Amino acid sequence: MSSPTTPLPSAVRTPARAAGGDQHATRGPEPELITGAEAVVRTLELLGVTDVFGLPGGAILPVYDPLLEAKTLRHILVRHEQGAGHAAEGYAAASGRVGVAIATSGPGATNLVTAIADAYMDSVPLLAITGQVFSTLMGTDAFQEADIVGITMPITKHSFLVKQAADIPLAIASAFHIASTGRPGPVLVDITKDAQQETAPFVWPVKLDLPGYRPIAKVHGKQVQAAAQLLASGKRPVLYVGGGVVRARADDELLALADLTGAPVVTTLMARGAFPDSHPSNLGMPGMHGTVPAVLALQESDLLVAVGARFDDRVTGKASLFAPDAKVVHIDIDPAEIGKIRTAEVPIVGDAKEVLGDLASAFRDLGAQPAQPYAAWWERIRSLQHQYPLGYTPTSDGLLSPQHVITRIGEISGPEAVYASGVGQHQMWAAQFIRYERPGAWLNSGGAGTMGYAVPAAMGAKVSQPDRVVWAIDGDGCFQMTNQELATCVINDIPIKVAVINNSSLGMVRQWQTLFYDGRYSNTHLNTGHGSVRVPDFVKLAEAYGALGIRVEKEEDVDAAIRLALETNDRPVVIDFVVSADAMVWPMVPQGVSNSGVQYARDHAPSWDDEAPGSGVDPDFVMPAPEGGVEPVSEADAIAGAEER
Amino acid sequence: MSRHVLSLLVEDKPGLLTRVAGLFARRGFNIESLAVGSSEVQGLSRITVVVDVEELPLEQVTKQLNKLINVIKIVELEPEQSVLHEHVLVKVKVDTATRPQVLEIVELFRAQVVDVTPEALVIELVAGSQRTAGLLKMLEQYGIRELAQSGLLAMGRGPKSITERIPRS
Ligand SMILES: Cc1ncc(C[n+]2csc(CCOP(=O)(O)OP(=O)(O)O)c2C)c(N)n1
Ligand SMILES: [Mg+2]
């Protein structure tokens, strides 16, 4: 903190303002003279921003002074800047609005890096504002100097370095626009301390000048018709739905198209909730831990209609062997995604909402609607669903089955709740066993796989959706990376609920060690769970933060604890669900092989070299899906697909 | 691999070159040469990049470059319909015996001598890559003391301009 904030003459202080709208714009021939710091706050307010997450420091200190006066902008003080970043992400992902995070220079800014990278991978509209050292000191290794624009260049959609107060409104407005339009993403605005301190006329509205930025392409009608033709003539189509449909909030259009065509739908990890799980056409999640029907439907398909999906390696398995017979219609707002991994026969650049609407009209216009659409295909899919329902084998060590805990959280809290997860086994189970009915209900770190996402993201989601129940479904490992934000939640009255799926280990890594490293558990034991020293004790930790801490060790206590959490809204709740460390995520496609080799295994893992089918029917196999009607697998089918193609 | 010449029209903003170069590095594309300078429109620079990639990765490069907010336009220049020149400065050791031979080579390649001392000549050539490579090959035997080469500069032949239909402010 080298120099104090320039005191403002009261005459130039601005009156109270409401958010958004031009009526607050400065008009008349002489724009008001205000500091850059005030311009930051005022610009955010004029853009309609109502909540920001941040933590001050020397280089951003000027901005924190006018924040005290802000009427329509709430600043939530986090305990770690990574928490501010993920909170802004959760805020954005749950609501569709831009999330805003503020940090100081140097370490404050670098603490944001993980969240910025995360937002980049998952296309989250994030505005990151950082303080920078005085422009005169830049490049001298000044105290707390870091070239954050340079550091984040590969992980931002764009960034601005602002060295003059007069440039602040345009930079922030441009950043806001870029973050939230086209394919959303993180944008950084780095503002030197002198730019915050000096005064400049505040001119609003600003005229954006982004000649190289054309986020929305006009949808190519011919291509849409070609896609409709393919859908009409295809025998085995699949709508391969990715996170872009969630970002575009194109769920209604997707539902209409699915109903109109009768084509089966798979929703990727990022797209859970884009299409209702209760819909009979929803085959669930594809990919490494996808359902067998979803994985094999893609694999056997003759037409993939990929919407806002990017053929991630976690979905395709070995890409060269992915869906070998399928033609591809690829719909994406980002032209660079089309053809990046898989050549598309019909590329369509555009907003998912618009394209899906157009595609439905084009399909309808063809009038080519078979009475029983894709009958043989559905027969095949139904039989896969019958043979390979999603389920799990209960644990045999007397500890809770994590899948059961997560299933009950979903069933009791319902589809209107928001579920944010960490990264690991609990994430996959939360994606598999909670039934999502709407976009924005499921938040997770899909592309980056950032442990520590859950608690701050849930916090951000709760701020943007205060009337919803918000769960963080976290692992004992992930929880220890960002649980300091419980303090933020308690102090700011943000009553999230945290379910720690405590298997006393870095479970997903441990699962790989079980399967691929001969059960040699190197550095995956966390000592947080059953029979361990319990460091930390999550219940005590919750209590230390002023949250309600509950420990659940018996299955009969699961529901009551969840209900108590739902009833407790005067503070956050942390439930320590002490689960078995041996539960594994199934099905699984081992890394680097064809998806046809998806393993559907229960009670224990098959040997990966074993040609023979799996270990047979497990009479205890649990299938939580409410539809029922599906029966356990026959012995010969325990390893699906491999021989079928 | 095949060689492609891309002409980029970009906003003249700080960090622009880092963004472009970083993108190539990050996506694993090799830059063979790169030349930057101003264009005929104020505030816009022109970058000429030569990349060594197959057709499909080239499409990826172009699409990814297009996503950079400060990149306004990208054109691939076909060698047959373009002027492709680079600029070479080369310092060659000479003595009384070799000077006439070197000068003869300079003549042959229509290059120019821009500095003379008893022990050395600085020779300049602006030409296509083949001619510059030929000159350097011929000069090698006399001992090249120093070499500075620009990236390739390129422009489409005929009356059209890359900045056509670019809004000028
Ligand atoms: C920041 C970070 N570090 C390391 C990893 C690698 N990793 C992926 S899952 C995982 C284990 C997570 O453990 P936990 O939170 O307990 O979840 P579990 O798998 O046990 O459900 C690890 C270490 C990661 N994804 N992110
Ligand atoms: Mg764990």
Side-chain angles (χ1 to χ4, degrees):
Chain A
M1 248 190 290
S2 31
S3 76
T5 311
T6 314
L8 289 176
S10 55
V12 302
R13 286 205 195 273
T14 45
R17 293 171 304 269
D22 272 354
Q23 70 270 30
H24 308 292
T26 310
R27 299 206 184 279
E30 270 183 57
E32 198 179 344
L33 265 185
I34 62 173
T35 64
E38 281 194 306
V40 171
V41 174
R42 195 183 293 189
T43 303
L44 289 174
E45 289 192 316
L46 287 166
L47 288 166
V49 175
T50 53
D51 307 274
V52 300
F53 302 87
L55 194 149
I60 193 71
L61 202 45
V63 167
Y64 274 76
D65 189 66
L67 270 176
L68 275 181
E69 253 83 35
K71 291 288 186 297
T72 61
L73 187 64
R74 177 189 185 194
H75 177 277
I76 293 166
L77 173 64
V78 296
R79 297 298 179 268
H80 187 300
E81 290 87 352
Q82 185 186 355
H86 292 318
E89 283 191 276
Y91 183 95
S95 65
R97 301 173 65 191
V98 176
V100 184
I102 301 183
T104 191
S105 66
T110 56
N111 273 351
L112 277 182
V113 168
T114 301
I116 292 174
D118 193 89
Y120 186 70
M121 293 297 279
D122 285 347
S123 307
V124 180
L126 172 71
L127 171 60
I129 298 177
T130 49
Q132 181 54 277
V133 300
F134 284 90
S135 61
T136 47
L137 291 177
M138 284 183 73
T140 66
D141 307 314
F143 177 62
Q144 294 196 325
E145 179 182 3
D147 173 13
I148 195 63
V149 166
I151 289 169
T152 58
M153 224 170 242
I155 50 170
T156 47
K157 189 171 170 188
H158 195 55
S159 47
F160 296 88
L161 171 61
V162 184
K163 296 186 189 174
Q164 284 180 342
D167 297 340
I168 287 174
L170 180 60
I172 293 180
S174 304
F176 195 87
H177 174 69
I178 293 168
S180 56
T181 51
R183 178 179 183 171
V187 182
L188 174 82
V189 181
D190 192 28
I191 310 174
T192 63
K193 189 164 180 180
D194 42 330
Q196 298 168 45
Q197 288 180 332
E198 71 190 21
T199 54
F202 184 81
V203 182
W204 192 270
V206 289
K207 192 170 163 288
L208 299 186
D209 179 28
L210 300 165
Y213 184 56
R214 292 165 302 269
I216 309 289
K218 204 174 140 345
V219 177
H220 203 302
K222 282 242 168 59
Q223 299 290 65
V224 172
Q225 271 169 9
Q229 293 277 5
L230 284 179
L231 262 173
S233 61
K235 297 275 181 288
R236 301 186 305 278
V238 179
L239 304 182
Y240 159 27
V241 174
V245 174
V246 174
R247 294 286 175 264
R249 291 295 193 268
D251 45 313
D252 287 343
E253 290 74 9
L254 173 64
L255 182 63
L257 182 72
D259 281 339
L260 181 68
T261 59
V265 178
V266 302
T267 49
T268 68
L269 181 64
M270 290 309 296
R272 304 288 293 122
F275 189 71
D277 277 341
S278 58
H279 196 289
S281 297
N282 196 335
L283 313 186
M285 180 170 79
M288 182 175 270
H289 293 299
T291 67
V292 172
V295 170
L296 291 185
L298 285 177
Q299 203 58 5
E300 297 173 16
S301 156
D302 67 353
L303 175 66
L304 297 184
V305 180
V307 197
R310 57 185 178 82
F311 293 81
D312 183 89
D313 52 279
R314 283 293 194 267
V315 167
T316 62
K318 199 173 164 66
S320 57
L321 302 176
F322 177 65
D325 303 332
K327 289 201 168 107
V328 173
V329 173
H330 196 166
I331 301 165
D332 206 290
I333 198 159
D334 178 0
E337 284 306 337
I338 298 174
K340 184 180 80 176
I341 305 290
R342 172 77 173 242
T343 312
E345 275 73 17
V346 181
I348 305 178
V349 179
D351 187 282
K353 207 173 171 70
E354 190 184 345
V355 177
L356 287 174
D358 289 0
L359 185 50
S361 311
F363 187 85
R364 204 177 289 115
D365 291 348
L366 287 177
Q369 238 175 296
Q372 275 196 303
Y374 320 120
W377 183 218
W378 270 114
E379 203 172 304
R380 164 71 178 147
I381 290 170
R382 292 296 177 222
S383 100
L384 283 172
Q385 288 180 311
H386 182 76
Q387 287 178 74
Y388 307 110
L390 190 62
Y392 61 91
T393 303
T395 47
S396 51
D397 53 7
L399 296 173
L400 293 174
S401 294
Q403 301 95 330
H404 171 74
V405 171
I406 289 169
T407 302
R408 291 304 293 155
I409 291 173
E411 285 173 350
I412 297 175
S413 310
E416 290 307 316
V418 176
Y419 305 87
S421 89
V423 170
Q425 290 182 312
H426 64 282
Q427 173 191 29
M428 292 299 116
W429 290 318
Q432 291 174 334
F433 291 105
I434 294 175
R435 297 170 64 76
Y436 301 97
E437 301 288 317
R438 56 178 194 89
W442 165 242
L443 319 178
N444 85 132
S445 168
T450 308
M451 287 175 68
Y453 172 86
V455 168
M459 174 172 85
K462 183 70 180 170
V463 171
S464 74
Q465 316 263 284
D467 297 334
R468 291 189 190 277
V469 168
V470 180
W471 280 98
I473 305 217
D474 219 355
D476 45 320
C478 293
F479 184 58
Q480 292 188 67
M481 291 205 175
T482 49
N483 66 38
Q484 77 284 343
E485 299 312 331
L486 282 175
T488 311
C489 289
V490 170
I491 299 294
N492 293 284
D493 190 18
I494 307 168
I496 62 166
K497 331 224 173 267
V498 182
V500 181
I501 307 301
N502 184 358
N503 54 11
S504 205
S505 58
L506 299 169
M508 185 57 96
V509 182
R510 188 179 189 274
Q511 172 166 346
W512 283 52
Q513 290 172 335
T514 305
L515 296 173
F516 310 117
Y517 292 88
D518 223 6
R520 289 159 52 81
Y521 298 121
S522 171
N523 293 279
T524 43
H525 190 25
L526 289 177
N527 287 294
T528 49
H530 178 79
S532 78
V533 288
R534 285 210 161 104
V535 177
D537 180 321
F538 291 130
V539 172
K540 286 188 191 156
L541 182 132
E543 286 165 357
Y545 275 119
L548 172 62
I550 307 169
R551 175 164 296 128
V552 178
E553 299 188 90
K554 294 201 213 69
E555 190 159 316
E556 57 265 33
D557 298 335
V558 168
D559 285 16
I562 295 168
R563 295 213 158 85
L564 178 56
L566 291 178
E567 286 157 15
T568 306
N569 288 307
D570 58 343
R571 60 201 148 136
V573 181
V574 176
I575 311 181
D576 179 14
F577 286 106
V578 183
V579 304
S580 169
D582 294 328
M584 284 205 260
V585 182
W586 297 107
M588 181 171 185
V589 181
Q591 197 173 29
V593 312
S594 159
N595 277 351
S596 298
V598 58
Q599 308 269 339
Y600 178 75
R602 312 167 320 281
D603 74 345
H604 56 261
S607 158
W608 295 102
D609 323 313
D610 198 352
E611 293 285 309
S615 48
V617 187
D618 187 322
D620 299 329
F621 193 68
V622 179
M623 294 160 288
E627 276 80 22
V630 274
E631 282 153 29
V633 196
S634 76
E635 198 165 321
D637 291 327
I639 294 180
E643 302 80 23
E644 313 225 31
R645 295 200 61 84
Chain B
M1 294 288 220
S2 57
R3 203 159 164 263
H4 301 270
V5 181
L6 299 179
S7 232
L8 278 64
L9 203 63
V10 300
E11 284 184 281
D12 184 14
K13 290 275 160 79
L16 188 270
L17 204 56
T18 321
R19 288 183 203 278
V20 172
L23 189 122
F24 276 93
R26 187 158 78 244
R27 302 266 171 195
F29 302 122
N30 260 337
I31 300 181
E32 200 179 286
S33 87
L34 185 132
V36 197
S38 42
S39 76
E40 73 279 16
V41 180
Q42 229 217 319
L44 298 188
S45 300
R46 181 159 174 163
I47 302 181
T48 312
V49 202
V50 182
V51 273
D52 211 9
V53 284
E54 297 302 344
E55 211 51 60
L56 265 180
L58 179 74
E59 193 184 310
Q60 256 299 299
V61 184
T62 316
K63 285 172 165 179
Q64 295 292 352
L65 282 170
N66 253 320
K67 278 169 46 171
L68 295 179
I69 307 289
N70 299 136
V71 171
I72 293 188
K73 193 172 180 180
I74 304 172
V75 177
E76 185 183 359
L77 292 173
E78 298 301 334
E80 308 80 55
Q81 281 132 49
S82 316
V83 182
L84 308 171
H85 274 176
E86 56 197 20
H87 190 171
V88 178
L89 290 174
V90 54
K91 189 178 287 177
V92 186
K93 251 193 346 211
V94 288
D95 52 32
T96 38
T98 56
R99 186 180 294 110
Q101 299 168 17
V102 171
L103 287 175
E104 194 181 324
I105 293 170
V106 168
E107 192 95 332
L108 213 58
F109 279 86
R110 278 175 281 135
Q112 272 186 325
V113 175
V114 289
D115 184 67
V116 192
T117 49
E119 307 86 32
L121 297 177
V122 178
I123 297 159
E124 178 180 40
L125 176 62
V126 175
S129 335
Q130 271 192 332
R131 195 138 66 91
T132 54
L135 172 73
L136 295 178
K137 187 146 196 293
M138 289 305 290
L139 292 176
E140 233 164 50
Q141 53 190 313
Y142 302 100
I144 293 179
R145 301 272 302 149
E146 227 182 305
L147 173 66
Q149 252 177 306
S150 76
L152 195 75
L153 288 180
M155 191 172 283
R157 296 181 188 272
K160 279 206 187 130
S161 164
I162 188 175
T163 55
E164 266 166 37
R165 287 186 288 142
I166 297 292
R168 297 177 190 226
S169 44

